[in-house]
Amino acid sequence: MTLPLPTTLDEARRRGWDQLDIILVSGDAYIDHPAFGVPLLARWLESHGFRVGIIAQPDWRSKEPFMVLGRPRLFFGVSAGAMDSMVAHYTPLKKLRHDDAYTPGNRHGARPNRACIIYTSRIKEAYKEVPVVLGGIEASLRRLAHYDFWEDKLRRSLLLDAKADLLIYGMGELTLLALAQRLRDGESITGIRDLRGSCYLSRQAPDAAVHLPSWDQLSTDKVAFAEAHRLLEHEQNPYCGRILAQRYGDRQLVCNPPALPLSAKELDAIYAVPFSREPHPCYREQIPAFEQIKRSITTHRGCFGGCSFCAITMHQGKFVQSRSLSSVQQEVGRLVEKGWFKGQISDVGGPTANMYGLSCHAADRGHGCRRPSCLYPAICQNLSCGDAQGAGLLRKVRSMAGVRQVAVSSGIRYDLLEHQPDYFRELVSHHVGGLLKVAPEHLVSAVTALMRKPDGAIFERFLARFRDESAKAGKRQGVVPYLMAGHPGCTIESMAELALALRRLRLTVEQVQEFTPTPGTAASCMYYTGIDPSSGKQVYVARSDRERRLQKALLLCHLPDERAQVRKALQGLGRVDLLRRLETLLAGAPLAVAGSSRTRPPATAKAPR
Ligand code: SF4
């Protein structure tokens, strides 16, 4: 049996450890499973001989909860958890959420707002001289000056605001391990300046650095902010990205190039590390995030898509890194041994399920590619999008002993599916389970272009083929489209057009995601500046709550309550023409899920990406 890592000094002593080397502090509960970043990093460091402890969801109102494991020999690592703490706490309309899926009992309030800043401050109160290293998605996406939606203003790099010693961005395994080894070998953290995937503060920027607009410029000039984002995206290719520097008064925030993508062998080594695959035994209540992932297998990381609203590319990187088939099979084997496993695997995928095994032919040739997306505006010819590995993986996993059913519930890129006939067939014939969730997000090309997503024509081709393949497989199954309201570029007219297109395609939705300008994305830059950073062109942005609500209501106008709101709002806007068109269509055929005899899809949880 694999014991969890220590969370108290007693647990550490039971392992014969009188002092820990590294303590990781997290805003999430401690679930000893590779799907969660802090436990994954902790186990990874442990497997390299470090004594690691975890302080999960400490009470941040005093320093004592940060001292339960004593003073670490090397450093504290701090993460807000699997989500940015502001995203975790507030809805897109800035209302306080009442739940938290990463906390036992789904309770809100187990972590503070701006967790990285608060945790670092308490640690520094307790152990002033111990280095603090920031990591996780909150640190990654806030590594440079960024727009903060909740304060509706720019904020400085998190490294300055938190007063930490180093910031690690991206997935971090290699960077964190190298840091731990060098500190163990006696180097000072102030001298470690060359780690890929890290940011530090300095009086001087390296000679080779690309200078982003300074904090003073950004504070007064939105065009400069859009330019800073463009430069950041241009330097995200780890094979050719350069060092970035951003001046804050007399200091420079230096951001080293991203860590190189992991090989399959390196990724396999990480997933070979033993985990108990359970929440820490101290918890008495269920943790929703664990219940959601405990029967799922992560097969790869990274996403070639580069959607402008998505944090994945800026955190995991655009190069997909896939585990080997045998590594995935070993994990399935461990899952099958669990007493609670009844043969159903809830997901086999990653950020985008059908990117398993995909690669860029030119990736390691130093070709200097600066495209933020490998799929938009068209699939790059250097991208190998064959489906042999993806389809083979699905076949192998579902044929394993103890496995009865395998679902694919990660997002699917349907533009890629046009090049993946075998995967498409496997998916439709064996892995949909009635309803396939796909995320076109929008179908109007002026909006999908800003999202860097495929347009409506590609979605319609996919839908036709999905129906066709389902019929061939003798399956009655449909598509649940995930859509977004309020994205930059999205107007009342484009939402009405989308509603009309959905009606024409006989698709209906029950939930619509409202765009949230999360830190560090291209879409957030558009929201703040009104400028598309890629083209420099002006972009329309719906800012008022009223318009954002109306955009959402337009997609839900088959529901009586929403329809009344839409009617009133469109009349108020003098858009009786749109109202008439919508009402004419709504008076037509009964609502149906495409390709299905069902009249409504079941309530859906959240967008797959
Ligand atoms: S060359 Fe093409 S596939 Fe490779 S990283 Fe650039 S856009 Fe992506």
Side-chain angles (χ1 to χ4, degrees):
M1 191 180 118
T2 307
L3 286 174
L5 287 166
T7 59
T8 64
L9 269 180
D10 276 352
E11 288 172 9
R13 286 185 189 121
R14 280 203 286 276
R15 287 173 166 247
W17 297 353
D18 51 359
Q19 187 184 17
L20 295 163
D21 296 319
I22 299 157
I23 296 173
L24 301 185
V25 178
S26 172
D28 292 341
Y30 173 23
I31 302 168
D32 196 41
H33 189 286
F36 299 94
V38 167
L40 180 71
L41 290 166
R43 289 294 192 183
W44 174 241
L45 291 167
E46 182 201 20
S47 73
H48 286 82
F50 292 96
R51 297 174 171 191
V52 188
I54 291 182
I55 301 178
Q57 299 190 316
D59 183 345
W60 62 92
R61 293 162 191 94
S62 70
K63 65 183 179 186
E64 282 71 25
F66 295 81
M67 302 170 77
V68 291
L69 284 167
R71 174 196 305 264
R73 207 163 58 84
L74 300 178
F75 65 92
F76 275 98
V78 165
S79 164
M83 293 173 78
D84 184 283
S85 52
M86 300 304 285
V87 178
H89 281 174
Y90 296 96
T91 69
L93 291 177
K94 302 186 186 177
K95 302 261 187 299
L96 196 64
R97 295 185 196 275
H98 299 292
D99 53 2
D100 185 335
Y102 295 87
T103 300
N106 200 21
R107 261 191 309 283
H108 172 86
R111 79 187 90 209
N113 281 352
R114 308 195 187 284
C116 285
I117 295 176
I118 304 291
Y119 290 164
T120 304
S121 159
R122 292 293 99 85
I123 292 167
K124 289 289 182 185
E125 274 174 39
Y127 305 107
K128 192 167 184 291
E129 71 295 354
V130 178
V132 176
V133 179
L134 302 177
I137 195 129
E138 181 165 293
S140 241
L141 277 294
R142 295 177 184 265
R143 59 190 181 263
L144 294 164
H146 55 278
Y147 172 65
D148 186 276
F149 172 61
W150 300 273
E151 288 185 346
D152 192 23
K153 68 173 198 186
L154 288 192
R155 287 187 69 105
R156 307 185 303 173
S157 162
L158 186 64
L159 189 57
L160 279 111
D161 283 353
K163 301 184 177 62
D165 298 273
L166 197 75
L167 183 154
I168 291 179
Y169 69 92
M171 298 299 273
E173 290 95 346
L174 299 188
T175 310
L176 194 63
L177 179 60
L179 174 71
Q181 287 168 333
R182 286 170 65 171
L183 290 174
R184 182 181 57 192
D185 294 346
E187 281 190 65
S188 157
I189 195 155
T190 53
I192 299 178
R193 296 292 184 240
D194 56 346
L195 289 176
R196 280 180 169 273
S198 73
C199 300
Y200 60 91
L201 283 165
S202 172
R203 294 281 165 210
Q204 233 180 336
D207 291 342
V210 174
H211 288 268
L212 300 174
S214 69
W215 172 249
D216 284 348
Q217 285 173 282
L218 298 177
S219 306
T220 55
D221 183 357
K222 289 188 175 179
V223 176
F225 186 77
E227 174 60 6
H229 190 88
R230 190 188 66 80
L231 286 168
L232 171 64
E233 285 200 321
H234 270 217
E235 302 303 332
Q236 285 313 289
N237 183 339
Y239 296 109
C240 58
R242 293 168 291 178
I243 299 170
L244 298 172
Q246 188 165 60
R247 188 164 59 77
Y248 293 83
D250 60 354
R251 286 187 293 175
Q252 297 278 352
L253 184 281
V254 181
C255 181
N256 284 325
L260 291 171
L262 300 178
S263 64
K265 200 170 157 199
E266 287 170 321
L267 204 51
D268 287 357
I270 291 168
Y271 280 89
V273 168
F275 290 85
S276 71
R277 307 182 71 84
E278 301 283 352
H280 190 278
C282 69
Y283 302 126
R284 296 281 164 263
E285 296 165 293
Q286 282 198 343
I287 304 172
F290 174 64
E291 298 304 315
Q292 199 182 352
I293 61 86
K294 69 182 188 182
R295 293 181 292 114
S296 72
I297 306 287
T298 302
T299 55
H300 58 286
R301 58 171 67 163
C303 181
F304 287 115
C307 298
S308 50
F309 53 83
C310 179
I312 297 277
T313 308
M314 299 303 283
H315 182 59
Q316 297 193 357
K318 72 174 175 176
F319 291 100
V320 167
Q321 302 149 66
S322 304
R323 297 167 64 184
S324 70
L325 178 57
S326 65
S327 165
V328 172
Q329 286 178 302
Q330 281 164 26
E331 190 174 346
V332 174
R334 287 192 285 270
L335 184 58
V336 167
E337 286 166 13
K338 288 285 180 190
W340 43 256
F341 183 73
K342 304 283 184 246
Q344 279 91 18
I345 294 180
S346 60
D347 189 25
V348 174
T352 304
N354 56 328
M355 286 189 187
Y356 177 76
L358 268 52
S359 59
C360 164
H361 294 312
D364 52 1
R365 291 187 222 138
H367 58 83
C369 171
R370 307 278 179 192
R371 279 178 61 163
S373 167
C374 307
L375 305 183
Y376 185 84
I379 295 176
C380 175
Q381 57 186 10
N382 283 326
L383 186 67
S384 70
C385 14
D387 55 358
Q389 287 192 60
L393 173 89
L394 293 180
R395 280 192 285 266
K396 285 278 187 210
V397 170
R398 72 169 184 266
S399 66
M400 286 181 68
V403 175
R404 288 169 35 211
Q405 199 184 356
V406 180
V408 173
S409 47
S410 296
I412 296 283
R413 272 298 287 229
Y414 46 84
D415 46 352
L416 271 178
L417 276 182
E418 294 193 347
H419 304 268
Q420 299 177 318
D422 200 13
Y423 186 94
F424 203 158
R425 263 190 307 276
E426 290 294 325
L427 181 74
V428 170
S429 306
H430 302 283
H431 303 284
V432 170
L435 291 170
L436 178 68
K437 293 177 226 160
V438 290
E441 307 294 1
H442 215 289
L443 297 176
V444 174
S445 53
V447 184
T448 54
L450 289 167
M451 291 175 160
R452 299 179 189 146
K453 294 283 280 183
D455 65 17
I458 298 177
F459 179 71
E460 287 192 35
R461 284 208 299 271
F462 154 75
L463 201 55
R465 231 180 111 208
F466 177 83
R467 288 169 167 160
D468 193 39
E469 293 287 350
S470 293
K472 278 190 207 153
K475 302 255 176 186
R476 292 160 70 86
Q477 48 195 19
V479 162
V480 180
Y482 282 84
L483 298 151
M484 189 183 283
H487 190 277
C490 202
T491 60
I492 296 294
E493 285 77 7
S494 60
M495 290 309 282
E497 259 186 71
L498 173 58
L500 293 167
L502 291 170
R503 194 77 189 123
R504 182 170 50 76
L505 296 168
R506 295 172 53 247
L507 286 167
T508 189
V509 287
E510 294 208 343
Q511 290 195 5
V512 178
Q513 189 185 347
E514 283 173 64
F515 169 68
T516 307
T518 54
T521 67
S524 300
C525 173
M526 291 180 213
Y527 180 90
Y528 171 63
T529 61
I531 299 167
D532 174 2
S534 299
S535 66
K537 290 185 182 153
Q538 298 287 318
V539 176
Y540 173 79
V541 178
R543 291 182 196 283
S544 71
D545 288 354
R546 181 166 171 260
E547 182 176 349
R548 284 155 66 85
R549 267 198 296 265
L550 176 58
Q551 289 204 7
K552 183 176 172 182
L554 276 163
L555 295 193
L556 299 171
C557 61
H558 52 281
L559 305 173
D561 284 356
E562 305 288 348
R563 199 188 301 192
Q565 187 191 334
V566 167
R567 186 177 292 131
K568 200 169 145 202
L570 287 180
Q571 279 167 345
L573 287 169
R575 296 309 308 266
V576 180
D577 55 325
L578 282 178
L579 182 59
R580 288 220 181 94
R581 285 174 70 197
L582 278 171
E583 295 207 314
T584 306
L585 271 168
L586 284 168
L591 298 171
V593 178
S596 163
S597 61
R598 299 177 194 221
T599 53
R600 285 277 173 87
T604 45
K606 60 183 176 68
R609 295 205 291 132

